Amino acid sequence: MDGTRIGRRELERFCARVFESLGVPAEDALIAAGVLVAADARGIPSHGTARLGRYTAGLRSGLMKAAERETIVRESPVSLLVDARGALGAPVSSRAMSRVIEKAAASGIAFACVRDSNHYGIAGHYAMMALERDMIGLSMTNTAALGVPTFARQVMFGTNPLAFAAPADREKPFVLDMSTTVVTRGKIEVYERAGKPLPPGWAVDRDGRSASDARTLLRDMLSREGGGIVPLGGDTEEFGGHKGYGLAVMVDILTGALAGSAFGEAVRDTDASSARVSHCFAAMRIDLFRDAAEFRRDMDAMLQALRTAPKASGAERVYYAGLKEAEAEERAEREGIALSGKAIETLRLIGKDCGTEFP
Amino acid sequence: MDGTRIGRRELERFCARVFESLGVPAEDALIAAGVLVAADARGIPSHGTARLGRYTAGLRSGLMKAAERETIVRESPVSLLVDARGALGAPVSSRAMSRVIEKAAASGIAFACVRDSNHYGIAGHYAMMALERDMIGLSMTNTAALGVPTFARQVMFGTNPLAFAAPADREKPFVLDMSTTVVTRGKIEVYERAGKPLPPGWAVDRDGRSASDARTLLRDMLSREGGGIVPLGGDTEEFGGHKGYGLAVMVDILTGALAGSAFGEAVRDTDASSARVSHCFAAMRIDLFRDAAEFRRDMDAMLQALRTAPKASGAERVYYAGLKEAEAEERAEREGIALSGKAIETLRLIGKDCGTEFP
């Protein structure tokens, strides 16, 4: 699907102009554009500019507050609670993580919750902000409820991603960025569009049995008739579905519950509102425990051993978390970001609506 | 498997006397016994007194240091690095988590690494120590390498459990305590004893193909000929195996690498030594973000909603992490701990070897 390639900065400037045309302050527009395009660059198009239309719709309807500025509700040398007041998720999250990193630089560790926010893009982006400071970074968010507890048949939590980043020296950094459900809604939609049956073990239907029809699943799940995506590990305890379920709830506790905001099934997109979500961020200095340069050299040894591990019969490569994405990003910097003809047409139309020409 | 039931305190005293007879100081013996018996009480017998024989063998051979006392290598108001010097894992871990909780009480958050340690029992035990202080608790450990990266065929990391605990009010606390592989070695051994084929998706053989014969797998995996247990999510990316793989490596980074100790395939049981492992512990005060009593009431609402979620067709109950274990522990307190005739016979023999009568 190598369509046209467009320069990363060009694409960022275009998205920023779109945001600005809808009343987003220039600084916030640049940040939000940067995070969206970073997803495309890192080969995660589901979280990239393909979402621009949802953002412009949210901003137009006023559900996402274009010009709202977050407030700090509670603060200590190691912690921060931010009220995003319905603003775009990326700018408030970027500033929250920056403050967390400054606090960690001074205190060693810091943790922040952000409440009443919106979609913040790829979780890994914020965790990675800690890397150049020789810190470990963490980021999580809850999402509209799409996940079903083990042995149940109703959505009770989101796809609740968690991201964790640790620096290496010559190796690409370790960046885990994963939803805690088996798959996300985007994957189900791909199967719907292709008219393909879902692999057994991705989702359950309104009776809690393995779901195969993507269209029926999406209809029933989004209307809360029943059914939904199952946690990492599947729909039984035999393969550890209860573990993915536990991870998803852990994320909900560290975001929605700790922030004093919505959690569980209360996090939902409705006609009246996009899902207001909560995030959390953490950073920790490596030199609390050992010399950071020594740690990075050990990380090189670990990551090199992983990617050069003996391959399974028929396998092409062994990766570690973040390696594929870093390679995609290098290519995007070099050659531009690949967008399909359809994606470009959509962006062009959004631009036209906003009085901004697509490059 | 309701065999004989024995009082929790009686079983603890017996195990403590066994440890003391092998040179473990009284305080450490009580802690190690308490953590082992807690596993039995919480319905996790794989980590309970069934391991007593491995402990006594380790202590006798000197691989586990009976009378060694840990040293503090580095310390700050929010952090702690402990060298266990090969001592039993539970006493050093219990003291490390206690110090983490005191540091968090003063500073808000604290994080500890413990290196050169031994088996520490159930990860959840340490995370739960934070609960009564209205803190969130975290605990992880690396283990001897038994897990295979996605697309590989050689063990490169342990079953690396992580535990997370958050308090509730009237509900049982949320306690996630999970290995990051699909299953642990103990489950494979159960299938070996029963002569049953392994479910596809638990392990891969020396060629990296789905393994079905438990005996061959154990032989090849433990001798590092190839093959091993796959990460949570299975042996493909289709069901998220790369996510479980990422979680396992995250645990290895936060324990072995951060502590400056062994990680990855270097963590192994040999003839000369049991695997020296590393742990990490963290605690965070809830009132950094909101009133703890309000948080606990929200936790009640979340957990009650989860356990009363509409059941899948044919399912008996919906749980949340820690609920089954808390119910088992209540029953164990009331009625004693159920041990099979075979388990009792083994304990009796261990007692005899140590000059200690089994009650």
Side-chain angles (χ1 to χ4, degrees):
Chain A
M1 66 137 246
D2 233 73
T4 310
R5 285 190 171 263
I6 174 169
R8 181 171 185 167
R9 306 297 156 227
E10 264 184 307
L11 189 55
E12 282 177 359
R13 278 194 297 270
F14 167 74
C15 293
R17 281 198 303 270
V18 166
F19 288 137
E20 279 193 76
S21 79
L22 292 164
V24 178
E27 181 200 337
D28 288 17
L30 262 179
I31 296 172
V35 177
L36 272 188
V37 173
D40 284 320
R42 291 177 65 77
I44 315 165
S46 58
H47 285 60
T49 51
R51 294 215 177 212
L52 188 61
R54 289 197 216 173
Y55 279 51
T56 56
L59 287 164
R60 280 220 172 79
S61 73
L63 299 175
M64 292 181 179
K65 309 287 184 201
E68 198 67 63
R69 184 84 183 189
E70 70 269 20
T71 56
I72 290 174
V73 181
R74 213 179 261 218
E75 192 167 14
S76 84
V78 297
S79 64
L80 187 67
L81 173 62
V82 176
D83 187 340
R85 301 165 59 90
L88 287 180
V92 57
S93 295
S94 179
R95 284 188 287 268
M97 187 62 183
S98 292
R99 290 184 80 112
V100 160
I101 288 168
E102 291 315 318
K103 282 177 187 290
S107 304
I109 310 182
F111 192 101
C113 289
V114 175
R115 72 185 188 205
D116 205 18
S117 183
N118 282 293
H119 190 262
Y120 79 165
I122 45 173
H125 177 82
Y126 309 101
M128 288 174 72
M129 288 171 65
L131 293 175
E132 63 183 25
R133 300 289 290 271
D134 272 337
M135 295 179 188
I136 281 168
L138 193 74
S139 165
M140 307 180 192
T141 186
N142 64 7
T143 78
L146 297 170
V148 174
T150 313
F151 304 136
R153 59 180 161 85
Q154 183 69 251
V155 293
M156 298 297 289
F157 48 78
T159 56
N160 294 5
L162 70 84
F164 170 91
D169 207 57
R170 291 159 183 241
E171 294 288 324
K172 308 296 180 201
F174 179 85
V175 182
L176 177 64
D177 183 353
M178 56 172 269
S179 65
T180 49
T181 46
V182 172
V183 290
T184 54
R185 177 176 160 183
K187 273 269 181 82
I188 306 285
E189 288 167 343
V190 168
Y191 276 70
E192 183 201 22
R193 284 193 294 272
K196 273 168 57 179
L198 296 171
W202 276 17
V204 294
D205 66 15
R206 55 198 296 173
D207 296 321
R209 296 195 179 94
S210 192
S212 64
D213 186 64
R215 182 151 305 168
T216 309
L217 170 71
L218 284 166
R219 187 196 64 204
D220 290 354
M221 174 172 80
L222 297 176
S223 66
R224 307 274 169 118
E225 282 294 311
I229 303 171
V230 301
L232 176 63
D235 56 353
T236 65
E237 290 188 343
E238 186 176 14
F239 295 97
H242 57 300
K243 299 180 185 180
Y245 166 30
L247 289 170
V249 175
M250 177 185 81
V251 173
D252 215 8
I253 292 170
L254 287 172
T255 56
L258 198 56
S261 192
F263 53 77
E265 57 182 335
V267 187
R268 56 164 82 194
D269 300 320
T270 65
D271 291 342
S273 170
S274 62
R276 290 286 168 85
V277 293
S278 299
H279 325 300
C280 73
F281 306 95
M284 182 165 71
R285 268 169 43 196
I286 288 159
D287 64 3
L288 292 177
F289 304 97
R290 59 184 302 211
D291 178 71
E294 279 175 29
F295 172 84
R296 280 190 269 107
R297 281 193 292 274
D298 271 359
M299 285 296 297
D300 275 4
M302 176 191 283
L303 298 176
Q304 196 187 351
L306 290 171
R307 67 175 171 75
T308 60
K311 293 193 295 269
S313 175
E316 279 180 28
R317 265 182 84 178
V318 180
Y319 298 89
Y320 58 79
L323 178 55
K324 250 185 217 182
E325 294 79 3
E327 289 178 353
E329 194 161 9
E330 281 188 345
R331 183 165 180 212
E333 284 290 346
R334 217 169 43 233
E335 304 174 13
I337 288 169
L339 290 174
S340 69
K342 198 179 158 197
I344 288 174
E345 194 44 43
T346 306
L347 291 176
R348 200 180 299 282
L349 284 172
I350 292 171
K352 205 173 160 193
D353 278 353
C354 297
T356 296
E357 200 171 345
F358 186 76
Chain B
M1 67 138 249
D2 232 72
T4 311
R5 285 189 171 263
I6 173 169
R8 180 171 186 166
R9 306 295 155 229
E10 261 184 309
L11 189 55
E12 282 176 357
R13 277 194 298 269
F14 167 73
C15 293
R17 280 197 305 270
V18 167
F19 288 136
E20 280 192 75
S21 79
L22 293 164
V24 178
E27 181 199 338
D28 288 16
L30 262 179
I31 295 172
V35 176
L36 272 188
V37 173
D40 284 322
R42 290 176 67 77
I44 313 166
S46 58
H47 286 59
T49 50
R51 295 216 177 211
L52 188 61
R54 289 198 215 174
Y55 279 51
T56 56
L59 288 165
R60 279 218 175 79
S61 72
L63 299 175
M64 293 181 179
K65 308 286 183 204
E68 200 66 63
R69 183 83 182 190
E70 70 270 21
T71 56
I72 290 175
V73 181
R74 215 179 258 219
E75 191 168 14
S76 84
V78 297
S79 65
L80 187 68
L81 173 62
V82 176
D83 186 341
R85 301 165 60 89
L88 286 181
V92 57
S93 295
S94 180
R95 284 190 287 268
M97 186 63 183
S98 292
R99 290 183 80 114
V100 160
I101 288 168
E102 292 315 318
K103 283 177 186 290
S107 305
I109 309 181
F111 193 101
C113 290
V114 175
R115 72 186 187 201
D116 205 21
S117 182
N118 282 292
H119 191 259
Y120 78 164
I122 44 173
H125 177 82
Y126 309 101
M128 289 174 71
M129 287 171 66
L131 293 174
E132 63 183 23
R133 300 288 290 273
D134 272 337
M135 296 180 188
I136 282 168
L138 191 74
S139 165
M140 307 179 193
T141 187
N142 63 6
T143 77
L146 297 170
V148 175
T150 313
F151 304 136
R153 60 182 161 84
Q154 182 69 252
V155 295
M156 297 296 289
F157 48 79
T159 56
N160 295 4
L162 70 84
F164 170 91
D169 207 58
R170 291 160 183 239
E171 294 287 326
K172 308 297 179 201
F174 178 85
V175 182
L176 177 64
D177 184 353
M178 55 174 269
S179 65
T180 49
T181 46
V182 171
V183 290
T184 54
R185 176 176 162 183
K187 274 269 181 80
I188 305 286
E189 289 168 343
V190 168
Y191 276 70
E192 181 200 23
R193 284 193 293 273
K196 273 169 55 178
L198 296 171
W202 276 18
V204 292
D205 67 15
R206 56 199 293 173
D207 296 320
R209 296 197 178 91
S210 192
S212 65
D213 185 64
R215 181 151 307 167
T216 308
L217 170 71
L218 285 166
R219 187 196 63 204
D220 290 353
M221 173 173 79
L222 298 177
S223 67
R224 307 273 169 120
E225 283 292 311
I229 303 172
V230 300
L232 176 62
D235 56 354
T236 65
E237 290 189 341
E238 186 176 15
F239 295 98
H242 57 301
K243 300 180 185 180
Y245 166 30
L247 289 169
V249 175
M250 177 185 81
V251 172
D252 215 9
I253 293 170
L254 287 171
T255 55
L258 198 56
S261 193
F263 52 79
E265 56 182 335
V267 187
R268 55 165 81 194
D269 300 320
T270 64
D271 290 343
S273 171
S274 61
R276 290 286 168 83
V277 294
S278 298
H279 325 300
C280 73
F281 305 96
M284 182 165 71
R285 268 170 42 197
I286 288 160
D287 65 3
L288 293 177
F289 304 96
R290 59 186 301 213
D291 179 72
E294 281 175 28
F295 171 85
R296 279 191 269 106
R297 281 193 293 274
D298 271 358
M299 285 295 299
D300 275 5
M302 176 191 284
L303 299 176
Q304 196 186 351
L306 289 172
R307 68 174 169 75
T308 61
K311 292 194 293 274
S313 174
E316 277 181 29
R317 267 183 83 178
V318 179
Y319 298 89
Y320 58 79
L323 178 55
K324 249 186 215 180
E325 293 80 3
E327 289 178 355
E329 192 160 11
E330 281 187 346
R331 187 169 177 207
E333 283 291 346
R334 219 169 42 234
E335 302 173 15
I337 288 169
L339 291 174
S340 70
K342 197 179 158 199
I344 288 173
E345 194 44 46
T346 306
L347 292 175
R348 199 180 301 279
L349 284 172
I350 292 171
K352 206 174 159 192
D353 277 354
C354 297
T356 296
E357 201 172 344
F358 185 77

